[in-house]
Amino acid sequence: MVAVVLGVLLLQLGFITSYVAAFHQPTPRDIPIGVIADAGLPAGVDQQVTDKLNAIDGRPLQARVLANTYEARNLIADREIMGAYLISPTGTDTLITASGAGTSAATALEAIFTKADAAQHRTFVVRDEVPVSVHDNRGLSGFYLAIGWVVGGYLLAASIGLMIGAPRTLREAGVHTAIMAGYAAASGFLGALITTHLLGTFTGHLLPLSLLGFGVVFATGIFTMGLRAAVGILAVPLAILIFVVLGNPSAGGAFGSNVLPTFWATIGRWITPGAGTEGVRSIVYFHGTGVLQPVATLTLYAVVGLALVLGFTARAARPTRPVAPQVPATATATATATA
């Protein structure tokens, strides 16, 4: 009982520490943008502005010179930059953002250029090149959809582990895996159906979101099942540590990777909540551009989880070789003397 209480306390403190540390002071860092000089400006103005932006304390921006707005739109669509700044000879510039890639980065860009332009006695207007849906407040719907899929995956795996236990034979392992795959297909489709048709948040993306949902649920669930086969009941707190304590705050929901502290920004894309969140954004707002990295993350979890399930099940099911009884030395000596 003492061990259980201490374990829960550690998870609780880890939850508090992880969330507060990730969200207490979001700071823009290396947000990639392009700088464009409009016609009628002297040559080299764009490079001068780029150098000034890159020299801002804390390096919130990673600016580079672009030829025109056409190039900027293409790079935004390809997810190579998150915005662009068009310098105008009139003194009223244009800040091009892409809130579909993350509202926190778009908001940070507005704050940075508000301060920078005030120092130069200039003004700017904002043009959102990839706006979030009117039903996707602050772009958080994809995050909550991904979290719902993740929770379903590890809850089913934990429930199977607690009520049935780890599989004892490869046949049972196959049954458990099939149950998880069927559940992942159903929950992935239903989650996508709710957001695309029932709520109208992501209209027109039912099939790709269903496939993504299957990947998120199955990867999370089979990895948790693999932990159950490997370490037993400790799999439940380990799954909570990975997917909730570390995965949720680093997923890029409320704050994207360009405003999160380095640790959370680094691990977010390699945990299933972050993979799911980024996958939804890629599908809904960028026609699938950038979805390969989330797919790679989900594939990694699924492969490792399957390997753990099958490997530890095969090890547990391996028959033990009977040990031949040993004849005491005194009995051998007596038998020899009798003979």
Side-chain angles (χ1 to χ4, degrees):
M1 180 60 72
V2 173
V4 172
V5 172
L6 288 177
V8 172
L9 178 61
L10 288 175
L11 277 179
Q12 180 189 44
L13 296 179
F15 183 95
I16 295 171
T17 302
S18 183
Y19 276 69
V20 174
F23 297 154
H24 79 290
Q25 193 175 4
T27 304
R29 183 186 64 258
D30 292 329
I31 300 176
I33 67 163
V35 176
I36 309 151
D38 207 350
L41 288 169
V45 169
D46 47 3
Q47 186 61 59
Q48 293 174 12
V49 172
T50 298
D51 293 339
K52 290 180 180 179
L53 293 175
N54 286 332
I56 296 176
D57 289 342
R59 195 172 171 80
L61 301 176
Q62 190 178 74
R64 58 169 161 163
V65 174
L66 300 181
N68 47 50
T69 55
Y70 177 78
E71 183 183 9
R73 292 191 192 98
N74 286 337
L75 290 176
I76 290 173
D78 292 339
R79 310 202 68 180
E80 293 188 29
I81 60 175
M82 302 186 74
Y85 190 67
L86 176 63
I87 311 165
S88 171
T90 65
T92 301
D93 306 321
T94 301
L95 174 64
I96 304 172
T97 62
S99 59
T103 56
S104 59
T107 302
L109 286 176
E110 291 188 41
I112 293 167
F113 279 98
T114 296
K115 184 176 181 179
D117 274 22
Q120 300 294 323
H121 304 289
R122 300 178 68 87
T123 59
F124 68 92
V125 295
V126 178
R127 188 174 77 216
D128 198 340
E129 187 70 20
V130 187
V132 295
S133 165
V134 293
H135 300 292
D136 184 13
N137 182 36
R138 295 179 57 205
L140 291 175
S141 299
F143 167 68
Y144 291 122
L145 174 60
I147 293 302
W149 281 330
V150 169
V151 169
Y154 73 72
L155 277 184
L156 178 61
S159 299
I160 291 175
L162 291 173
M163 292 187 296
I164 302 175
R168 295 177 293 273
T169 65
L170 288 177
R171 179 185 178 88
E172 288 186 5
V175 172
H176 291 189
T177 301
I179 291 172
M180 181 57 68
Y183 173 80
S187 61
F189 170 76
L190 292 173
L193 183 68
I194 289 171
T195 54
T196 58
H197 287 70
L198 183 60
L199 300 178
T201 306
F202 303 131
T203 304
H205 301 278
L206 178 61
L207 179 58
L209 286 177
S210 297
L211 294 174
L212 175 68
F214 168 80
V216 173
V217 177
F218 184 77
T220 304
I222 201 66
F223 186 81
T224 305
M225 289 174 63
L227 290 177
R228 179 66 176 83
V231 300
I233 196 66
L234 287 177
V236 175
L238 278 177
I240 294 174
L241 174 64
I242 295 169
F243 299 121
V244 179
V245 174
L246 295 177
N248 284 7
S250 64
F255 297 104
S257 60
N258 291 98
V259 297
L260 285 174
T262 303
F263 173 75
W264 284 266
T266 301
I267 67 172
R269 65 177 62 191
W270 297 110
I271 308 179
T272 56
T277 301
E278 185 60 26
V280 172
R281 285 178 180 154
S282 297
I283 290 169
V284 173
Y285 294 116
F286 294 93
H287 308 288
T289 300
V291 80
L292 290 181
Q293 199 280 323
V295 169
T297 297
L298 299 177
T299 301
L300 178 63
Y301 275 86
V303 170
V304 171
L306 279 171
L308 290 174
V309 169
L310 297 177
F312 280 92
T313 301
R315 179 182 176 183
R318 187 182 305 155
T320 56
R321 183 176 300 174
V323 179
Q326 295 182 353
V327 180
T330 54
T332 304
T334 302
T336 303
T338 303

